[in-house]
Amino acid sequence: MAALERIQDHGLLRFLTCGSVDDGKSTLIGRLLYDTRTILTDTLAQIERTSQRRGLSAVDLSLLTDGLSAEREQGITIDVAYRYFSTGTRKYIIADAPGHEQYTRNMVTAASTADLAILLVDARKGLSVQTRRHAAVCHLLGIRHLVVAVNKMDLVEHDRAVFERIRADFQDFAAGLGLSDTTHDVTFVPMSALNGDMVVDRGEALAWYEGPTLLELLETAPGAHGDAAAKAEQFRFPIQWVCRPQASDNPELHDYRGFCGRIESGTVQVGDRILALPAWIETKVKAIHIGGQPLTSAVADQSVTLLLEDEIDLSRGDMLVKAGSTASAANGDGAVPEVTKQLEAMVCWFAETPLDRSRKYTIRHTTRSTRAAVGEIAYKLDVNTLEQQGAEKLAMNDIARVSFRLAQPVFCDSYAKNRATGAFVIIDEATFDTVGAGMVV
């Protein structure tokens, strides 16, 4: 751990673990929590008692994340389990995604907010169908940092040749998927989550491996809004609420009109020229408040209130962006999002009820909700082979390219450019269930 003390604080990192059933995802997370000493004493005592009742000689660390009784009974992950921990130099949010194909929708949910994915591979089995499937989903969901963790090396006698063969197999697959270009990085780590080798500590069994441990990779991985990424991001501020205080006894608040919301990307400073959509009116930022306190600037992921110099009619669902010419929007340089009533998107269908092209749905994009009609289903994607297949309907867990016609315009970027303004969810108007998720292409 001494090496970690020399690493600077890199803020929050969201990552998920994925891979096939029994590749050791839950055990890996348990090992991370255990070796970083972030497990509460009573929680550890509880899983120790459970492990003893089952006749196990060691603590079953997978019990830390398999929270549902059905998961513990079957020894599998069904729902997405989120865990939080900190090393003192960085905070983490972990999503433990299910391995079964029937829970692909849960895996999509976990991947949608992840900055990095740990793809586990059983060293005895090599690449499986689920390995390829989950790598394809991670690529589709825009995750640019992938760690291939070759687990259970203790069961192949820590053989370096096994690790090298799996690495070569994955690199061949990644080249076809597009993961080998300059916008993605793929790192390989041999490990034993059960014994703790190369997870937090190096151990002694994999001395031939000279690269970083898994935790060292996580500590230095770039976050979604790291310094370099933030400089390249365009400012996007969907308005969530218009704040008009009604305190009649405070004359300073009579004219207060603030626009509240979360900065989805980019930065903003007092004095910046702002373009309000859909009014297409320019103004300037007069003040920035957070928790009632003034700021001179704010960054992505902060929830703030912006006060503007001019009175503009704006409401929930509208968006503030940095001012640019309308010509720049037409040029598609990304300074201004596309304002459109037509969406082309890759959709993952969550519901047991198939997508019905004759029905209307509600699309929720950032803070705006609008009715939508399904246009065409261009194709359904086989994520195992990446083959495009014709389809008239979508069943649960299907991923397809679908077009929508909207009742109101949305202000969107492509998902590849901006995951916040390039994503939306589809809601059943009758049940209010979320039945699908979309990524704008």
Side-chain angles (χ1 to χ4, degrees):
M1 296 296 289
L4 296 180
E5 295 173 358
R6 297 193 294 271
I7 299 174
Q8 296 180 349
D9 181 5
H10 289 157
L12 174 69
L13 182 73
R14 299 171 184 265
F15 69 90
L16 85 156
T17 56
C18 52
S20 189
V21 178
D22 291 335
D23 281 351
K25 299 182 294 299
S26 299
T27 301
L28 173 62
I29 294 176
R31 174 60 63 184
L32 269 174
L33 299 176
Y34 184 79
D35 284 358
T36 53
R37 296 169 177 78
T38 50
I39 303 175
L40 296 175
T41 302
D42 56 344
T43 302
L44 182 59
Q46 182 182 16
I47 65 170
E48 284 176 342
R49 288 194 297 271
T50 303
S51 300
Q52 289 172 357
R53 280 202 308 272
R54 295 182 177 181
L56 302 176
S57 58
V59 176
D60 184 357
L61 295 173
S62 69
L63 296 176
L64 283 167
T65 53
D66 288 343
L68 301 176
S69 59
E71 292 178 331
R72 296 190 179 197
E73 290 169 1
Q74 300 180 57
I76 63 172
T77 301
I78 296 174
D79 203 353
V80 180
Y82 291 95
R83 289 293 181 270
Y84 310 88
F85 78 102
S86 172
T87 58
T89 54
R90 189 165 216 180
K91 296 181 177 65
Y92 295 93
I93 299 177
I94 317 171
D96 183 19
H100 278 82
E101 181 175 349
Q102 72 189 88
Y103 301 121
T104 296
R105 56 179 178 168
N106 304 54
M107 193 268 178
V108 169
T109 302
S112 64
T113 57
D115 307 317
L116 179 147
I118 300 173
L119 183 61
L120 269 83
V121 179
D122 188 327
R124 299 169 300 171
K125 302 174 183 175
L127 301 190
S128 65
V129 172
Q130 280 297 76
T131 307
R132 295 180 173 87
R133 184 180 182 88
H134 284 185
V137 172
C138 288
H139 179 52
L140 183 66
L141 270 290
I143 298 176
R144 297 180 178 178
H145 309 288
L146 191 66
V147 177
V148 180
V150 181
N151 193 26
K152 303 189 181 183
M153 289 296 294
D154 53 305
L155 299 182
V156 294
E157 299 179 345
H158 306 98
D159 188 347
R160 181 172 185 170
V162 172
F163 172 72
E164 297 294 348
R165 183 172 66 249
I166 293 173
R167 175 156 62 179
D169 289 346
F170 190 88
Q171 286 173 332
D172 288 343
F173 172 72
L177 194 61
L179 284 170
S180 57
D181 62 24
T182 56
T183 62
H184 297 80
D185 68 77
V186 182
T187 310
F188 298 84
V189 182
M191 67 174 57
S192 168
L194 182 65
N195 298 330
D197 298 324
M198 294 300 168
V199 179
V200 173
D201 301 311
R202 300 191 68 83
E204 299 178 354
L206 292 163
W208 49 264
Y209 172 73
E210 298 178 348
T213 65
L214 177 64
L215 184 61
E216 289 170 344
L217 284 171
L218 297 177
E219 287 284 300
T220 54
H225 302 291
D227 292 341
K231 290 178 182 176
E233 289 180 342
Q234 298 291 347
F235 175 64
R236 301 290 186 257
F237 185 79
I239 295 172
Q240 189 173 36
W241 181 52
V242 181
C243 180
R244 295 296 309 272
Q246 300 299 313
S248 58
D249 57 341
N250 187 348
E252 294 183 0
L253 298 180
H254 284 178
D255 298 323
Y256 189 97
R257 190 163 185 262
F259 300 100
C260 308
R262 187 177 70 173
I263 301 174
E264 295 293 356
S265 60
T267 62
V268 65
Q269 299 182 51
V270 173
D272 278 351
R273 292 171 56 243
I274 291 295
L275 180 65
L277 299 175
W280 293 96
I281 297 175
E282 284 192 24
T283 182
K284 286 186 177 180
V285 177
K286 184 169 68 176
I288 304 171
H289 292 166
I290 183 168
Q293 300 299 316
L295 295 175
T296 57
S297 64
V299 299
D301 289 339
Q302 283 188 306
S303 294
V304 298
T305 301
L306 300 184
L307 278 70
L308 306 180
E309 287 194 347
D310 301 296
E311 290 290 338
I312 303 175
D313 181 16
L314 295 170
S315 59
R316 177 183 172 87
D318 295 344
M319 185 177 288
L320 301 178
V321 302
K322 289 284 180 68
S325 67
T326 53
S328 68
N331 290 336
D333 63 359
V336 178
E338 182 181 6
V339 181
T340 182
K341 296 173 98 174
Q342 297 280 340
L343 279 183
E344 287 283 337
M346 296 302 296
V347 168
C348 179
W349 195 249
F350 292 167
E352 295 180 355
T353 305
L355 178 144
D356 186 345
R357 294 176 59 186
S358 65
R359 289 189 54 190
K360 298 290 191 300
Y361 295 93
T362 295
I363 278 184
R364 183 165 296 163
H365 173 267
T366 63
T367 56
R368 169 158 292 197
S369 297
T370 179
R371 297 192 78 195
V374 180
E376 299 296 326
I377 302 175
Y379 59 82
K380 187 170 69 175
L381 185 68
D382 184 332
V383 293
N384 298 323
T385 64
L386 305 183
E387 180 187 359
Q388 298 177 4
Q389 305 168 339
E392 288 297 318
K393 62 180 182 180
L394 298 183
M396 187 170 68
N397 294 318
D398 278 347
I399 295 175
R401 178 162 176 156
V402 183
S403 61
F404 295 91
R405 299 187 301 276
L406 311 181
Q408 298 180 53
V410 294
F411 321 113
C412 64
D413 300 281
S414 69
Y415 187 81
K417 289 184 178 178
N418 193 313
R419 295 174 72 180
T421 55
F424 59 88
V425 295
I426 307 164
I427 298 170
D428 187 309
E429 290 188 328
T431 63
F432 299 107
D433 289 338
T434 298
V435 292
M439 293 143 280
V440 179
V441 295

